[in-house]
Amino acid sequence: MDDLDASSPEVMRTFYRRLYPFKSIFNWLNHQPVPTRLFTHREFSFTLPQDVYLRYNSFNTVEDLKKQVCLLAPTRFEIGPVYTARPKDKKTVRPGAFKPLQRELVFDIDMTDYDSIRTCCKDAAICKRCWGFIAAAVRVLDTSIRDQFGYQHLLWVYSGRRGIHLWISDKEALSLTDEQRRALVNWMMAVQPGKGKEVGKVIARSGTKPLPPCLQFALSELAEVFSDIILNDQDCFGSEEGYDALLHLIPDSKVAENLREKWSTGPYRTSEDKWSDLKNQIKKYPKGTSQRPILTSAMEDIILLYTYPRLDAEVSKHRNHLLKAPFCVHPKTGRVCVPVDPSLIDDFDPEMVPTVGQLLRELDAAGSQNENGMEHHSDWESTSLKPYVDIITKHAQSLMEDVRRGKRETDTTTW
Amino acid sequence: MFKGSHKPAFSNDASLQVENHGTAQYPFRLNFYDKPPLYDVTIEDLEICALDRLRILAEIESSAARNRSWEETKSFTMAQCSKYLPLNANSARTDLHSERRKDHLGHFVLRLAFCRSEDLRRRFIKAESTLFRIRFETDDGQERRQFLSSREFRWTAVDNAEKEKYKAELKANYQGFRNEDDKERAFAQENYYKVRWTRVPDLVEKRKVFLKGGWAYVPSRDQSSIAYQEFEDQLGNALQMTAKALPRLDEDNRLLPILNNLSQGFVAGVSSDWVAPSSEGNEDQVRAEMVDELAQKHFPLCMRNLHQNLKKDHHLKHFERLTYGLFLKVLGLSVEEAIIFWRKSFVGSHVKDDKFNKEYKYNIRHSYGLEGRRANYPAKSCQQLLMAESSSYGCPYRNFSPENLQSALLSAYSSQGLTSSDLPEIMQTVSARHYHVACTRVFETTHAKSGVKRGEGVGAGESVTHPNQYATKSMEMEKQRKDSMDVKAEMEMEVDL
């Protein structure tokens, strides 16, 4: 269906010139209509075809940025931190004086970390069904960060293929040190994904103690997800490989052996059947015996292990990490990295995201309708990109509103 | 001196300039050092305070590099503190004012010495906050409470209504209670304080607090975390400010050499020069023919290396001779024996008797203070060797390539129990540039059979700071071992001593 090649510079140039919402991106990064350090001291890096990588670019105005992007037609560009000096002047300042100062707090969740548990797709592939994992992760992370850390300006962006990024632009979040970022990530991290076929392990629990309160909350949410996705949709314990992984997570060899016996010899039982088999086995231990709490916490751990967000921690821990800008085009899929409304995350279908080819065709069709020959700056209005641009525009507006209000407060109060 | 050049860097409180000889100026043992010392100090005082504090900080750094546990670090540091920088509680009957003044002054002098590079600032903050933590933990409970309440920590006490509202969440962090009643009682007694979570990242990281809307609910038992964080932040800011104000200090030419010396000492991980316990009193005189055996058994790698080269080439270059010669002098080699030793060592080289007597003998006598200036030159310390650029007589841990260092270590010390399995750890400290720690580790490994335990260093946890300290300690230990084998009864007496 896509006759236009997303990796061709010509296609990309047209996309940047006519469709890319530079104005909204600027407002989102800068928080104010007039360029501040948040924009002028910000690093942009460009990836050109043949993997040429240009780092430490910075721009005085968003027009300069647009000009340069249209000139280079990069396959994608990334946004880095705000430095102590303009990144383009990096070579002229003392090495010690060039340091990252501020940066949106970012998170990256990637489907590859779920490869050991998802049964529908593998590797780079993603379908509506695997999106369920991402959707669950988004819900947990979004609620936890808003509730526990009190941040409000969260922008979720589909990464164009099989993952999702989160950008947090609250003032406090921007200024977090690397140490504070690490602390926050470790607070959030509950699951360590395993390598290759291993499911991974829960790292949040020490010994057999109860889960920390923040995770108990997440657990109650995830129990439902577990039943929907793991037991029903993905049928994770259906295959022998699948239930083998489950049995390895049970800290009671007697229970595990009983179940293995039953599942390997008896007629086929679905994941849901198997899960209730496990529950029944546990119920055989009377209340008050030491085995009971060990096994119940093991069940909690299994739920977390299969559904809790699997974060790429390194992305979040350091201010100087670069992350692909929203609305870039994924070179392999041609899909645009569009913002996602977390409240509608379950309805999001990565396969329905507009591709660059589709958008340019829509533009052609719209262009032939009103023949005024003029080139608009917001041509995306007439394409299916519009609802997504609206999300970031609205998001940026609320950020700017916050800054305006903050300014007014500092004007009236004396600190 | 602080008055003139430093006023802009700190917020001054004029009331503190009053000379007050009581505890009024320093009401607490703990100090956040937010007021600079605004009084006249002699240059000697300044140097002593700084050097003594530097020993403590160097000890803390080397504890960290040796992976000591918190309890070990604490006890080693406390031992050093009581020796060089005692600091007692208000209840103690010591001269509290001068103790606290020394603590105060030393801290500020070191600030000047360590504010100059990012690396130094980072290390200084780390060492100083560790020291603060150790003191905080060992502080008298009552005084600590008073100290905390004397400061404004910008925390909000959580009122009962709010405490009740989040009761379930707050109580979930209570563990290790036998029954629900105990837990309930403990919770009822606990006071909570609210701070932005960014001020207690360590508690957040370990999920030790309840978080709501970016506020961390810190129980009073974890208040210390807030204090530590505050201490670090304040010190970090103050160092930045001091660094900016420092150029104005340059006009005082008495201070700079001291400050330079201090920061160099810290870089080398050396607290201060090791002072030989009066070499005159060394009754076991070292004779020329003993040197070879001593080198095999007791020398640190730098001196082993020089000895090896001397044997191989029958010659050493000027600075190598000077370094090794002074080392042997302090070890107890008399000037007569030294001349014999060098003459013998040169046999087989181009240096003939005549040349030796004319040129080399003079130099040897000179280093013993018998010619020219007649100065009694001390042996080179680790710090000086670390500063030496040349690989032939500097610190081998620093100058050798990793491959060379490993083979040198094995060939030198495998007879004393060093095996290749010990190398990774040593090489790791080397690559972290903690050369003295690597050397200390070699000492510990090669003296394990004399009962040296890991982390004990050259006695009481001290690191190697001087080649002679290494050798003397090693010889002492062998002597003790011999004595104890010869006469059991005598050993018991020695132990009693």
Side-chain angles (χ1 to χ4, degrees):
Chain A
M1 140 181 171
D2 278 315
D3 44 356
L4 286 166
D5 180 10
S7 55
S8 126
E10 273 320 304
V11 171
M12 288 312 295
R13 192 163 289 132
T14 316
F15 170 78
Y16 289 128
R17 197 162 52 86
R18 300 189 61 188
L19 291 168
Y20 194 91
F22 282 101
K23 190 74 194 157
S24 302
I25 291 285
F26 167 78
N27 286 340
W28 165 62
L29 291 175
N30 192 58
H31 304 194
Q32 283 179 56
V34 185
T36 63
R37 280 167 170 249
L38 280 178
F39 187 79
T40 58
H41 288 38
R42 173 85 71 164
E43 175 180 359
F44 292 90
S45 71
F46 301 113
T47 309
L48 305 184
Q50 278 102 42
D51 278 336
V52 178
Y53 203 59
L54 303 176
R55 283 203 61 183
Y56 302 116
N57 300 281
S58 64
F59 303 93
N60 291 333
T61 62
V62 66
E63 287 75 26
D64 289 354
L65 170 66
K66 179 167 183 180
K67 213 181 281 168
Q68 186 71 0
V69 169
C70 291
L71 186 75
L72 294 171
T75 48
R76 60 174 195 190
F77 65 96
E78 290 175 310
I79 299 175
V82 177
Y83 285 92
T84 43
R86 288 169 207 267
K88 63 178 167 194
D89 300 336
K90 180 177 185 275
K91 290 207 176 96
T92 64
V93 296
R94 208 159 40 81
F98 188 75
K99 278 183 306 200
L101 275 185
Q102 286 180 302
R103 157 76 157 146
E104 285 79 9
L105 174 60
V106 292
F107 286 92
D108 181 9
I109 304 173
D110 197 290
M111 209 60 229
T112 35
D113 286 324
Y114 290 83
D115 275 346
S116 54
I117 44 181
R118 63 174 172 167
T119 57
C120 52
C121 306
K122 267 204 171 67
D123 302 326
I126 187 170
C127 67
K128 181 81 180 82
R129 285 176 61 206
C130 3
W131 189 256
F133 285 105
I134 300 285
V138 167
R139 275 201 310 272
V140 170
L141 207 58
D142 195 77
T143 349
S144 316
I145 285 179
R146 282 176 205 271
D147 177 71
Q148 291 154 9
F149 291 92
Y151 297 139
Q152 288 156 15
H153 301 287
L154 281 66
L155 183 71
W156 289 95
V157 182
Y158 171 55
S159 73
R161 188 153 69 178
R162 52 182 169 176
I164 197 157
H165 298 158
L166 168 61
W167 299 73
I168 306 175
S169 307
D170 290 67
K171 208 172 158 210
E172 184 186 85
L174 274 172
S175 311
L176 293 178
T177 62
D178 287 357
E179 190 199 1
Q180 289 162 339
R181 280 166 212 255
R182 197 190 62 218
L184 189 146
V185 171
N186 286 339
W187 166 281
M188 281 295 163
M189 288 273 277
V191 171
Q192 184 74 57
K195 291 194 185 81
K197 297 231 166 204
E198 286 167 40
V199 192
K201 60 175 192 283
V202 171
I203 51 173
R205 191 193 293 273
S206 48
T208 53
K209 286 181 186 160
L211 285 173
C214 54
L215 289 175
Q216 277 168 11
F217 158 78
L219 187 68
S220 56
E221 295 268 298
L222 288 171
E224 202 177 311
V225 175
F226 184 78
S227 148
D228 287 351
I229 299 182
I230 304 300
L231 300 183
N232 290 308
D233 189 53
Q234 295 274 342
D235 194 16
C236 284
F237 312 131
S239 67
E240 188 184 338
E241 202 184 327
Y243 72 69
D244 204 51
L246 173 66
L247 291 174
H248 276 296
L249 296 168
I250 298 170
D252 184 311
S253 55
K254 212 173 100 199
V255 172
E257 273 323 300
N258 285 345
L259 292 173
R260 187 186 299 280
E261 175 86 26
K262 180 168 184 179
W263 296 344
S264 56
T265 54
Y268 177 77
R269 293 180 70 72
T270 63
S271 291
E272 204 162 8
D273 299 336
K274 284 176 181 142
W275 188 247
S276 50
D277 288 345
L278 173 59
K279 279 188 193 161
N280 289 333
Q281 282 286 331
I282 293 173
K283 276 184 195 146
K284 282 186 188 161
Y285 286 105
K287 274 199 176 126
T289 53
S290 66
Q291 282 301 328
R292 197 64 185 267
I294 293 176
L295 284 165
T296 3
S297 39
M299 281 181 77
E300 286 175 0
D301 284 0
I302 292 167
I303 295 177
L304 284 181
L305 197 50
Y306 278 83
T307 54
Y308 192 85
R310 298 181 161 211
L311 305 172
D312 184 346
E314 291 313 308
V315 176
S316 315
K317 282 182 185 170
H318 304 287
R319 273 172 292 190
N320 58 1
H321 201 98
L322 294 158
L323 197 63
K324 189 162 57 170
F327 291 99
C328 278
V329 174
H330 195 286
K332 294 271 164 39
T333 60
R335 288 180 202 149
V336 179
C337 307
V338 292
V340 184
D341 181 347
S343 61
L344 302 172
I345 190 76
D346 289 296
D347 303 327
F348 184 84
D349 183 349
E351 286 167 319
M352 297 304 287
V353 167
T355 63
V356 62
Q358 176 196 341
L359 290 170
L360 293 185
R361 271 195 307 280
E362 287 173 8
L363 212 54
D364 282 349
S368 54
Q369 273 166 17
N370 46 11
E371 303 239 355
N372 52 14
M374 287 274 286
E375 209 171 79
H376 292 286
H377 279 294
S378 40
D379 280 348
W380 46 263
E381 293 250 21
S382 50
T383 66
S384 46
L385 201 59
K386 183 175 188 310
Y388 302 106
V389 179
D390 287 345
I391 294 180
I392 196 170
T393 309
K394 222 176 113 210
H395 179 78
Q397 266 166 5
S398 80
L399 261 170
M400 293 169 82
E401 182 54 36
D402 243 34
V403 171
R404 255 201 307 277
R405 217 180 306 131
K407 257 197 174 160
R408 227 177 294 139
E409 270 166 30
T410 41
D411 284 346
T412 50
T413 54
T414 47
W415 293 53
Chain B
M1 50 135 231
F2 285 98
K3 261 183 219 164
S5 48
H6 260 75
K7 214 158 193 170
F10 313 103
S11 64
N12 291 339
D13 188 342
S15 67
L16 270 165
Q17 293 187 28
V18 180
E19 287 283 324
N20 193 335
H21 297 280
T23 51
Q25 192 179 354
Y26 304 109
F28 304 107
R29 174 174 172 256
L30 297 169
N31 193 337
F32 253 72
Y33 310 109
D34 25 27
K35 309 274 186 346
L38 297 169
Y39 38 73
D40 292 328
V41 228
T42 64
I43 205 101
E44 287 77 22
D45 242 12
L46 180 132
E47 198 169 0
I48 290 168
C49 290
L51 273 175
D52 283 347
R53 193 181 192 86
L54 194 58
R55 290 173 199 267
I56 315 277
L57 298 190
E59 184 62 41
I60 289 174
E61 273 225 320
S62 93
S63 289
R66 285 145 160 261
N67 274 332
R68 280 191 188 138
S69 73
W70 176 246
E71 285 309 315
E72 280 173 320
T73 306
K74 205 159 122 181
S75 70
F76 280 120
T77 313
M78 290 302 288
Q80 290 284 79
C81 273
S82 62
K83 219 153 77 192
Y84 298 113
L85 190 59
L87 196 62
N88 285 298
N90 283 345
S91 52
R93 284 167 189 278
T94 48
D95 185 357
L96 290 178
H97 181 265
S98 62
E99 277 177 14
R100 289 174 190 186
R101 181 175 175 273
K102 185 179 181 188
D103 174 59
H104 187 206
L105 188 59
H107 173 88
F108 272 93
V109 178
L110 293 190
R111 265 196 198 181
L112 292 176
F114 297 134
C115 66
R116 279 182 280 185
S117 78
E118 183 63 41
D119 182 51
L120 279 175
R121 282 196 292 268
R122 195 176 43 75
R123 287 171 63 179
F124 181 64
I125 293 172
K126 201 162 171 230
E128 275 285 342
S129 354
T130 310
L131 179 62
F132 179 79
R133 243 185 104 167
I134 290 169
R135 288 173 171 174
F136 191 92
E137 282 188 11
T138 54
D139 207 20
D140 172 71
Q142 174 75 19
E143 280 180 41
R144 182 166 57 196
R145 266 192 301 280
Q146 282 170 0
F147 171 75
L148 285 177
S149 57
S150 76
R151 297 193 57 85
E152 182 54 60
F153 280 106
R154 292 175 290 126
W155 55 41
T156 327
V158 175
D159 59 30
N160 280 334
E162 201 174 356
K163 190 176 161 191
E164 201 55 35
K165 186 174 162 198
Y166 298 121
K167 189 174 175 180
E169 289 89 343
L170 291 172
K171 258 174 78 179
N173 273 327
Y174 278 69
Q175 273 161 10
F177 284 97
R178 236 175 274 144
N179 58 50
E180 206 51 34
D181 284 350
D182 282 1
K183 204 168 164 179
E184 185 70 40
R185 214 168 301 129
F187 176 71
Q189 280 169 7
E190 189 66 271
N191 290 317
Y192 284 88
Y193 298 87
K194 238 179 7 178
V195 292
R196 281 311 288 180
W197 78 268
T198 47
R199 291 183 52 205
V200 283
D202 54 330
L203 296 181
V204 170
E205 186 154 15
K206 294 183 195 125
R207 298 199 183 90
K208 275 178 146 178
V209 282
F210 165 62
L211 277 187
K212 184 83 185 171
W215 295 98
Y217 288 67
V218 183
S220 51
R221 70 191 127 90
D222 284 331
Q223 264 177 328
S224 46
S225 278
I226 306 178
Y228 301 153
Q229 191 66 33
E230 193 73 6
F231 183 86
E232 270 188 58
D233 292 351
Q234 281 200 11
L235 184 55
N237 291 337
L239 283 177
Q240 294 275 357
M241 306 252 275
T242 315
K244 280 183 194 145
L246 198 65
R248 274 178 262 184
L249 182 80
D250 287 3
E251 46 202 65
D252 193 334
N253 54 17
R254 294 171 304 164
L255 271 186
L256 266 194
I258 297 182
L259 296 181
N260 279 332
N261 195 21
L262 286 171
S263 49
Q264 270 175 18
F266 198 49
V267 169
V270 173
S271 43
S272 61
D273 281 354
W274 176 80
V275 188
S278 63
S279 52
E280 290 91 345
N282 203 343
E283 73 274 36
D284 301 285
Q285 218 218 20
V286 179
R287 289 188 311 280
E289 63 271 22
M290 289 160 65
V291 174
D292 201 41
E293 198 203 344
L294 290 175
Q296 301 293 331
K297 281 172 152 173
H298 303 299
F299 287 8
L301 190 60
C302 46
M303 296 303 150
R304 278 290 288 261
N305 182 39
L306 286 173
H307 187 78
Q308 232 40 53
N309 288 346
L310 177 60
K311 277 206 331 194
K312 191 172 76 203
D313 304 334
H314 309 290
H315 193 257
L316 285 179
K317 295 214 179 74
H318 174 73
F319 282 107
E320 303 169 1
R321 275 200 320 272
L322 186 66
T323 308
Y324 193 41
L326 289 174
F327 169 78
L328 292 176
K329 176 180 92 170
V330 176
L331 200 71
L333 197 71
S334 68
V335 63
E336 293 81 3
E337 293 293 322
I339 291 170
I340 298 169
F341 170 75
W342 288 103
R343 180 62 248 166
K344 275 187 183 165
S345 303
F346 281 3
V347 171
S349 74
H350 64 278
V351 181
K352 300 289 170 254
D353 265 336
D354 187 34
K355 192 175 159 81
F356 182 86
N357 284 336
K358 259 197 238 150
E359 294 172 30
Y360 293 89
K361 205 167 162 184
Y362 176 86
N363 278 339
I364 296 166
R365 288 177 53 82
H366 188 269
S367 65
Y368 275 80
L370 300 170
E371 304 281 354
R373 247 181 84 198
R374 295 182 173 266
N376 189 9
Y377 296 98
K380 302 256 186 264
S381 69
C382 289
Q383 183 183 348
Q384 287 166 306
L385 294 175
L386 278 165
M387 293 299 155
E389 287 304 318
S390 167
S391 61
S392 58
Y393 64 94
C395 174
Y397 293 96
R398 180 193 161 131
N399 294 332
F400 281 17
S401 73
E403 296 78 9
N404 279 349
L405 178 57
Q406 299 196 39
S407 58
L409 279 170
L410 280 182
S411 73
Y413 294 114
S414 55
S415 59
Q416 284 159 276
L418 185 103
T419 62
S420 49
S421 63
D422 299 310
L423 289 178
E425 193 195 342
I426 293 165
M427 295 312 289
Q428 207 188 341
T429 48
V430 168
S431 64
R433 297 195 285 172
H434 295 295
Y435 309 112
H436 61 296
V437 175
C439 189
T440 310
R441 191 69 202 110
V442 169
F443 182 90
E444 287 166 2
T445 313
T446 52
H447 293 77
K449 59 175 182 287
S450 306
V452 175
K453 288 187 206 71
R454 239 186 110 81
E456 224 169 59
V458 284
E462 274 185 59
S463 304
V464 176
T465 59
H466 199 295
N468 282 106
Q469 171 204 27
Y470 184 112
T472 308
K473 185 73 194 172
S474 176
M475 284 157 72
E476 256 174 41
M477 295 184 82
E478 196 197 45
K479 189 160 169 284
Q480 271 180 16
R481 216 154 60 100
K482 266 202 191 122
D483 288 352
S484 70
M485 281 191 292
D486 289 350
V487 202
K488 281 244 163 82
E490 253 182 48
M491 182 203 74
E492 276 160 24
M493 258 171 59
E494 266 190 36
V495 167
D496 282 343
L497 288 172

